[in-house]
Amino acid sequence: MAPPPSRPSGRTVHPELTAAVLWAVTAGAAPPAPAARLAERHLADGAPVPEQLHRELLAHLHRLGWPTVLAAARRLFARPRDPLLRSLVAAEDVADLLTRSRLAEPWLYIGHTTRADLRPGELTVRHLGHLGHRPLPAETLFVCALHLTAVATVTAQDVDAVLLTGDGRTLPPSAVHPTDAPAPIAAWRLRWTDTATAPTAPHPAERRLLGEVRRRIALDPAAPWRVGDTATSLGLSARTLQRALRTAGTTFQAELTAVRLDTAGHLLRRTDLPLADIAAAAGFTDHPHLTRCFRAHHGCTPSQFRRRSAEAAH
């Protein structure tokens, strides 16, 4: 009998992500690829799936065609077991989904990041390298399928997707074939019919204001921040600031919580401080308050977040 897979030394991938890809890869009549058999062993033994093995699975998934890629994404969101993934499908609207997915990025697509522009009935997403390598076309297609499925789940609407190339062309996801030269995919654009809950695209001045609010909070996240005091310091009324934040698809409390979670996450990844000290430094009432917010936004406890961050770094 072959020995069980050893613990990987590099970055690993969320097991439910790999399980969904593996399901799609092995659902056909063709025999499973070697990467699929190895991934099966990792998942069966409860071992982390190395990022490189997951990339090989995605390359095989890409060869099976866009419908199979989309089927893998739908499988993931149809049966989410991890609280992190359940929190995404429980989003109130697309703006809320983007906030939750930004916090979930370290576990959804390690090594990559996204930049999103939300407009009424339209979402444009750029898929960028973050920790070492540029995304391969197969990886970009799968993350596109994840976004498409998540938006369709949250809006209960049919969602169309087109890819945007670096030279300004658009093409359907099915047009990116693994046998062709890698397509210069710059972004993708999703469109759906329900625009009632999508926020109006923020004006550049409102985006700058949002950035200034985040910057000020980040300077002292433990301060007793209030929307009225913050608005006064910016030379605005509380109502004007709240209206500007709504136009940008957020609220003052959401931004305050997001900055405090970002601060806590940075301290968990970079220091050995006790959780009570991290909670105080980031502006949470106490350790239990930090844990509740982490569970709601990350789907895990601060201790689990710290452990996974350490595993991803080695």
Side-chain angles (χ1 to χ4, degrees):
M1 177 182 294
S6 60
R7 187 178 186 83
S9 59
R11 296 192 298 260
T12 58
V13 177
H14 194 294
E16 285 200 49
L17 210 64
T18 298
V21 174
L22 182 63
W23 170 84
V25 165
T26 58
R37 291 193 293 269
L38 183 57
E40 285 178 339
R41 290 175 52 210
H42 277 80
L43 293 175
D45 294 339
V49 178
E51 180 186 31
Q52 181 56 41
L53 178 57
H54 183 75
R55 295 179 83 195
E56 293 176 22
L57 276 180
L58 287 180
H60 188 68
L61 185 70
H62 186 194
R63 289 193 289 272
L64 296 176
W66 169 249
T68 308
V69 176
L70 194 55
R74 288 171 174 165
R75 172 81 172 192
L76 179 72
F77 286 109
R79 302 182 179 185
R81 292 173 296 176
D82 192 291
L84 168 70
L85 299 173
R86 290 202 298 269
S87 74
L88 295 182
V89 300
E92 295 180 0
D93 51 32
V94 179
D96 185 30
L97 172 66
L98 291 178
T99 299
R100 297 181 186 217
S101 63
R102 178 170 62 87
L103 296 171
E105 271 194 353
W107 313 123
L108 284 181
Y109 19 92
I110 294 174
H112 306 155
T113 189
T114 58
R115 296 291 181 268
D117 178 25
L118 177 61
R119 299 173 183 273
E122 180 180 289
L123 175 65
T124 302
V125 182
R126 297 180 63 85
H127 190 204
L128 308 169
H130 180 54
L131 296 173
H133 69 264
R134 296 176 59 186
L136 300 174
E139 294 174 293
T140 294
L141 283 176
F142 185 54
V143 178
C144 172
L146 292 177
H147 277 92
L148 186 157
T149 305
V151 170
T153 300
V154 169
T155 63
Q157 298 288 334
D158 292 331
V159 179
D160 295 322
V162 294
L163 303 178
L164 311 178
T165 65
D167 56 7
R169 294 180 295 118
T170 63
L171 65 158
S174 58
V176 181
H177 299 292
T179 55
D180 299 337
I185 303 171
W188 57 81
R189 180 168 294 142
L190 306 179
R191 289 194 174 103
W192 58 98
T193 57
D194 183 11
T195 62
T197 59
T200 304
H203 187 275
E206 289 160 346
R207 289 198 296 268
R208 288 193 296 270
L209 178 60
L210 175 57
E212 180 61 19
V213 169
R214 291 172 176 169
R215 186 189 69 81
R216 292 188 180 211
I217 295 173
L219 290 174
D220 187 7
W225 291 96
R226 299 290 185 272
V227 64
D229 296 338
T230 305
T232 299
S233 71
L234 293 167
L236 304 170
S237 69
R239 182 171 297 180
T240 298
L241 177 57
Q242 289 171 321
R243 183 169 57 248
L245 293 175
R246 280 198 304 271
T247 301
T250 187
T251 65
F252 182 80
Q253 187 59 46
E255 292 307 312
L256 177 59
T257 301
V259 172
R260 285 175 168 171
L261 283 169
D262 286 346
T263 301
H266 176 78
L267 292 173
L268 287 166
R269 288 191 298 266
R270 304 300 181 189
T271 75
D272 294 324
L273 286 171
L275 295 182
D277 292 349
I278 289 177
F284 295 96
T285 305
D286 49 26
H287 177 189
H289 183 206
L290 171 65
T291 298
R292 287 195 301 274
C293 289
F294 248 76
R295 283 190 182 279
H297 290 270
H298 286 290
C300 65
T301 67
S303 296
Q304 291 169 331
F305 182 93
R306 172 175 270 170
R307 183 171 62 254
R308 293 175 183 177
S309 297
E311 292 171 350
H314 296 292

